Amino acid sequence: MTYTVTVEPTGEQIEVEEGQTILQAALRQGVWIPFACGHGLCATCKVTVIDGDVDVGNASPFALMDSERDDGMVLACCATVESDVTIEADIDVDDDFEGYAVEDFTATVTKIVDLSPTIKGVHLSLDGAMTFQAGQYINLLIPGCDGVRAFSIANPPSNNQEIELHIRHVQGGVGTSYIHEQLKVGETLPLSGPYGQFFVRSSLPGDLIFIAGGSGLSSPQSMILDLLENGDQRQITLLQGARNQAELYNADLFTALAEKHANLTYIPALNDANEDESWKGFKGFVHEAAKEHFDGRFADHKAYLCGPPPMIDAAISALMQGRLFEKDIFMEKFITAADGAEDNRSALFKKI
């Protein structure tokens, strides 16, 4: 049986099959509902049922309190419908979001490369074309893992039948350990996508700052390649942070791109290079490199941040001290399965 769910305030309608969650149906029909963990733990996908019958499912009592349940709130990632339903969701309509529907694919591993001692580049050939926006991610089902793992897409959307992933080995992580120690070329893996709201807001004025750390380079790489392919004329500055030269990967790629494109500036920064006499670049954290390059003044820019939470938090502080505001900053924190599914967003801002 299929039911109709109307999503307010946009008025969009989705068809939800019996047993399918509201979030699953929405994403597969190109309707965005904010979410994070996808497992009923973080409360990001909380919506209010205005009309109709809904089963709240396996929602954590910490994410959905009894008083909220009494008020008709549910978590879209857990809730299933038992009739036609109207819900109200906290949706910011973004004119730059293209809203591609999530689809399922079978991916064949075509290449595995060592990008750094802790990061592998995994190249996958899809059994169909995936239409996505640069900066989005996929969910990958890895053998031995309980549930899927999310990885950002590193290639531009123009190459829509192949996916490039940058995967850091997390000590004790079942999924990344399998990829680093057991995954073989020719193996097939199920995945779904695209997901996410991390993409360039092309309608917003201002030059672009990308700050990336570790395997967080993947999304900015996709975005920058896409911008350059499409002849974007804004000034683009990429600041890439790593611990040492061994961990600084794809530097040759961006050095060459910066030499070819006058509107691209590439600044690598190493935070553990004080004893490395061969390193002639910036020594320090990547947010410090940004402050030095821009002389602490970031006004009239849009910033895109991708990497581990400590790097993101330091970058946000530096940018806001330099006169950027919440509306100017977009981010993707790389939180591993070992970090848990708690809400890591700022308590002060809606978007950050």
Side-chain angles (χ1 to χ4, degrees):
M1 185 173 292
T2 300
Y3 300 105
T4 299
V5 173
T6 303
V7 183
E8 299 293 355
T10 62
E12 294 175 291
Q13 292 188 327
I14 56 175
E15 299 301 314
V16 184
E17 297 177 5
E18 189 171 5
Q20 186 180 35
T21 69
I22 295 172
L23 180 63
Q24 288 171 341
L27 294 176
R28 291 179 180 276
Q29 293 168 62
V31 175
W32 173 253
I33 294 177
F35 77 100
C37 76
H39 302 292
L41 301 174
C42 75
T44 303
C45 65
K46 192 177 297 178
V47 300
T48 301
V49 179
I50 304 300
D51 183 58
D53 300 318
V54 176
D55 184 339
V56 299
N58 191 29
S60 163
F62 299 101
L64 189 67
M65 296 181 292
D66 289 342
S67 60
E68 293 176 315
R69 297 171 192 239
D70 292 341
D71 290 338
M73 295 182 179
V74 300
L75 302 184
C77 69
C78 298
T80 56
V81 300
E82 300 173 336
S83 69
D84 291 344
V85 169
T86 299
I87 63 171
E88 186 172 35
D90 185 14
I91 300 174
D92 289 327
V93 179
D94 193 323
D95 292 338
D96 292 306
F97 180 50
E98 296 176 9
Y100 298 122
V102 171
E103 298 182 72
D104 295 316
F105 299 89
T106 298
T108 302
V109 181
T110 57
K111 183 168 64 172
I112 303 172
V113 297
D114 292 325
L115 296 175
S116 83
T118 61
I119 300 171
K120 286 189 181 293
V122 178
H123 295 251
L124 306 169
S125 176
L126 304 179
D127 61 348
M130 178 190 293
T131 306
F132 65 94
Q133 284 183 264
Q136 292 190 296
Y137 68 90
I138 56 96
N139 277 338
L140 186 66
L141 186 60
I142 303 171
C145 285
D146 182 14
V148 297
R149 297 294 186 267
F151 298 105
S152 293
I153 303 169
N155 55 286
S158 57
N159 189 4
N160 62 10
Q161 287 197 285
E162 295 184 3
I163 293 294
E164 176 185 345
L165 307 175
H166 300 167
I167 301 177
R168 179 175 67 90
H169 189 197
V170 178
Q171 292 299 321
V174 176
T176 63
S177 293
Y178 181 90
I179 287 170
H180 276 252
E181 298 168 3
Q182 300 181 56
L183 187 67
K184 299 290 188 295
V185 170
E187 191 169 340
T188 59
L189 299 170
L191 63 82
S192 62
Y195 298 94
Q197 291 279 288
F198 190 55
F199 49 83
V200 173
R201 271 62 179 181
S202 297
S203 66
L204 300 182
D207 292 331
L208 307 175
I209 300 171
F210 293 91
I211 301 179
S215 60
L217 179 65
S218 51
S219 291
Q221 175 174 304
S222 176
M223 296 158 120
I224 291 169
L225 291 175
D226 185 50
L227 289 166
L228 296 177
E229 283 183 5
N230 286 287
D232 196 290
Q233 294 302 303
R234 285 171 289 184
Q235 291 298 312
I236 302 167
T237 302
L238 169 63
L239 298 112
Q240 180 187 3
R243 184 174 182 181
N244 50 47
Q245 288 197 66
E247 290 293 343
L248 183 72
Y249 72 94
N250 282 3
D252 290 344
L253 168 64
F254 287 103
T255 298
L257 286 172
E259 291 174 351
K260 181 178 179 181
H261 298 274
N263 64 324
L264 174 63
T265 300
Y266 172 57
I267 303 169
L270 303 183
N271 62 38
D272 189 20
N274 287 334
E275 307 302 321
D276 186 351
E277 296 182 358
S278 68
W279 176 247
K280 305 304 180 185
F282 185 87
K283 294 182 179 181
F285 290 100
V286 68
H287 71 280
E288 296 170 334
K291 289 171 67 175
E292 178 180 277
H293 179 74
F294 289 95
D295 196 24
R297 295 192 290 267
F298 303 103
D300 301 322
H301 287 80
K302 295 294 179 284
Y304 296 84
L305 320 178
C306 194
M311 184 218 81
I312 296 286
D313 295 340
I316 289 172
S317 295
L319 292 167
M320 297 190 79
Q321 289 168 11
R323 304 298 294 170
L324 280 195
F325 302 97
E326 183 188 5
K327 64 181 178 60
D328 304 312
I329 302 171
F330 306 90
M331 68 172 190
E332 189 87 301
K333 286 188 180 181
F334 271 31
I335 299 171
T336 70
D339 295 319
E342 68 274 10
D343 191 348
N344 285 274
R345 294 174 298 170
S346 166
L348 297 177
F349 304 107
K350 180 179 179 181
K351 178 167 64 64
I352 293 178

